[in-house]
């Protein structure tokens, strides 16, 4: 119908512009004949070019020439100046429908270079026969961009972002996103790009995933197929974006505690610690116990060994329990080393805190102060009392120091204290203290300084003895 319409238009045009001379029937211009095609392409986002078009210009004449491309309504879409330019036109960009390629010869009085439709062309011109270019609208998913993405499978959530869909030529009644593994197994069908970017790819474990966009018609089984190979019906998948999930050494996560024990000479054990090793990976493993500064205090190989550690023996302070996975060649995993200086391929889990509180309490002593004269006459303190109502600590002793805290004696009982001859000490000041402590106390020796005691202990208030 369109071709008949064009022929009719041209016939009318020739009469209007007197395409023939007065003396004979020789036309004023002749576009000749073109051959090639017809062409048929799918509008699918892939470039579509015509080729092999020829022009028989044996009888063609006319001062000017051009090629003309129209749609099926006669609207002029382009005027490529040469055949090479015609064959450089990407017909996929025109969308669905039909185009027609023409060759034209014309004189300067024609408006063919400015007219917007064939109906508007006036003056002296001639259009050749046309070659049809059919552009079929097929289901087309368009193109997606973003990534590629690479994550470590380490128990931490991994999300893609910045994925874009170019749906310029996308077509199809229905749409979805599809995620597959590298074997084409369909792992999920998130409905929107927001849902795609909400997928935690760490949960998928090691390997590669591919993200696709799909457009499809109702006859497709893409919403139920388990693999891409099984998809049938009318559908199209876009290009894919790869998501690589690297398997790295991962210690997983531990839970339990935190624990708090008093350092009181009674054995203290942790219990109910659990290990979630769902994503744990690494050839070798051990448990690690450190102090707060990450100094390694122990390397129990199993959880049972961890729960067999008596934390009361460690004295007051804080311990941290870790789980360690590692590959061969790890350096620094030794008692006395620091976990912050581990070197190699390894991963430490989160830690569980074990607080060891010191609850020793020496109570309060009363008496004195005492004033003696150094005169070769024995001087003994007396009337000292101990209020031990709230006192605690497995062990006890009395301590006598000078004014600087240097330990002069460690009488074990109050009777021993009251048996000390302070005249022997010479001129100066002595201080009497009561000490309660747990096993492991360090520094409670004559010649040491009470300010340097280490362990779980408590010194009472002091009583002054002045030796004048």
């Amino acid at each position: 119908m369109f071709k008949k319409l064009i022929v009719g238009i041209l016939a009318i045009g020739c009469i209007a512009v007197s395409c023939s001379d007065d003396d004979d029937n020789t036309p004023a211009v002749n576009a000749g004949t073109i051959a090639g095609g017809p062409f048929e392409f799918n509008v699918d986002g892939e470039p579509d070019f015509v080729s092999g078009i020829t022009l028989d210009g044996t009888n063609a004449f006319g001062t000017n020439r051009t090629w003309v491309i129209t749609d099926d309504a006669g609207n002029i879409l382009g005027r490529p100046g040469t055949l090479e330019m015609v064959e450089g036109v990407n017909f996929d960009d025109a969308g669905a429908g039909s185009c027609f390629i023409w060759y034209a010869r014309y004189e300067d009085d024609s408006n063919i270079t400015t007219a917007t439709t064939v109906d508007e062309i006036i003056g002296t011109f001639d259009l050749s026969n046309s070659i049809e270019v059919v552009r079929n609208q097929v289901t087309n998913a368009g193109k997606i961009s973003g990534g590629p993405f690479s994550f470590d499978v380490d128990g931490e959530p991994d999300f893609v972002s910045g994925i874009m869909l170019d749906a310029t030529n996308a077509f199809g009644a229905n749409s979805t996103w599809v995620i597959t593994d590298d074997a084409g197994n369909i792992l999920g069908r998130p409905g929107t790009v927001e849902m795609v970017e909400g997928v935690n790819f760490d949960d998928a474990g090691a390997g590669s995933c591919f993200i696709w966009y799909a457009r499809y018609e109702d006859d497709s089984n893409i919403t139920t197929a388990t693999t891409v190979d099984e998809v049938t019906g009318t559908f199209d998948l876009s290009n894919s974006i790869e998501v690589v999930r690297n398997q790295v050494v991962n210690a997983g996560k531990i839970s339990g505690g935190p624990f708090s024990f008093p350092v009181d000479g009674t054995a203290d054990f942790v219990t109910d610690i659990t290990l979630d090793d769902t994503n744990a990976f690494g050839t070798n493993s051990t448990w690690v116990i450190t102090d707060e500064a990450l100094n390694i205090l122990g390397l129990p190989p199993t959880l049972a060994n961890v729960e067999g550690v008596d934390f009361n023996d460690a004295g007051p302070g804080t311990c941290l329990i870790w789980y360690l996975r590692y590959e061969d060649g790890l350096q620094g995993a030794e008692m006395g080393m620091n976990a912050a200086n581990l070197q190699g391929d390894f991963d430490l889990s989160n830690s569980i805190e074990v607080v060891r509180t010191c609850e020793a309490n020496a109570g309060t002593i009363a008496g004195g102060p005492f004033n003696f004269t150094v005169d070769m006459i024995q001087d003994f303190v007396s009337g000292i009392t101990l209020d031990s109502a709230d006192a605690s600590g497995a062990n006890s002793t009395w301590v006598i120091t000078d004014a600087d805290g240097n330990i002069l004696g460690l009488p074990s009982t109050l009777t021993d204290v009251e048996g000390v001859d302070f005249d022997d000490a010479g001129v100066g000041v002595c201080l009497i203290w009561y000490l309660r402590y747990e096993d492991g106390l360090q520094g409670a020796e004559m010649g040491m300084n009470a300010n340097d005691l280490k362990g779980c202990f408590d010194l009472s208030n002091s009583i002054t003895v002045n030796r004048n």
Side-chain angles (χ1 to χ4, degrees), residues 258-270:
F259 302 94
S260 181
F261 302 120
V263 179
D264 55 6
T266 302
D268 297 312
F269 303 103
V270 297

Side-chain angles (χ1 to χ4, degrees), residues 43 77 89-97 99 135 169:
V43 180
L77 307 178
V89 172
N90 179 10
F91 283 88
D92 195 84
D93 291 339
C99 284
R135 305 180 314 279
N169 292 310

Side-chain angles (χ1 to χ4, degrees), residues 13-213:
C14 287
I15 294 173
V17 299
S18 301
C19 293
S20 299
D21 294 334
D22 293 338
D23 298 334
D24 53 43
N25 293 324
T26 302
V29 291
N30 182 15
T33 305
I34 59 175
F39 302 95
E40 186 171 351
F41 302 120
N42 290 331
V43 180
D44 55 9
E46 298 298 323
D48 296 313
F49 303 103
V50 298
S51 61
I53 293 177
T54 60
L55 167 65
D56 181 1
T58 305
N59 297 313
F61 59 92
T63 305
N64 309 298
R65 67 201 69 189
T66 190
W67 292 79
V68 179
I69 299 176
T70 71
D71 62 16
D72 54 5
N75 297 301
I76 297 176
L77 307 178
R79 301 177 184 86
T82 65
L83 179 55
E84 290 75 16
M85 294 173 68
V86 172
E87 296 185 341
V89 172
N90 179 10
F91 283 88
D92 195 84
D93 291 339
S98 289
C99 284
F100 293 89
I101 300 171
W102 316 76
Y103 180 64
R105 296 294 285 267
Y106 61 96
E107 298 301 333
D108 293 341
D109 66 333
S110 175
N111 69 337
I112 195 170
T113 60
T114 57
T116 58
T117 68
V118 172
D119 289 343
E120 296 176 358
I121 301 175
I122 58 175
T124 307
F125 73 96
D126 184 48
L127 286 172
S128 70
N129 58 306
S130 65
I131 296 173
E132 187 175 16
V133 182
V134 176
R135 305 180 314 279
N136 299 311
Q137 181 64 73
V138 295
T139 300
N140 178 31
K143 293 183 179 180
I144 59 175
S145 60
F149 303 94
S150 181
F151 302 120
D152 291 336
V153 180
D154 54 8
E156 298 297 324
D158 296 312
F159 302 103
V160 299
S161 60
I163 293 179
M164 303 289 291
L165 168 63
D166 180 1
T168 305
N169 292 310
F171 184 81
N174 310 295
S175 66
T176 189
W177 292 79
V178 178
I179 300 177
T180 71
D181 61 16
D182 52 7
N185 297 301
I186 297 176
L187 307 178
R189 302 177 183 86
T192 66
V193 71
E194 291 76 18
M195 294 172 68
V196 172
E197 296 184 344
V199 172
N200 179 10
F201 283 89
D202 194 83
D203 290 339
S208 289
C209 285
F210 293 88
I211 299 170
W212 315 75
Y213 179 66

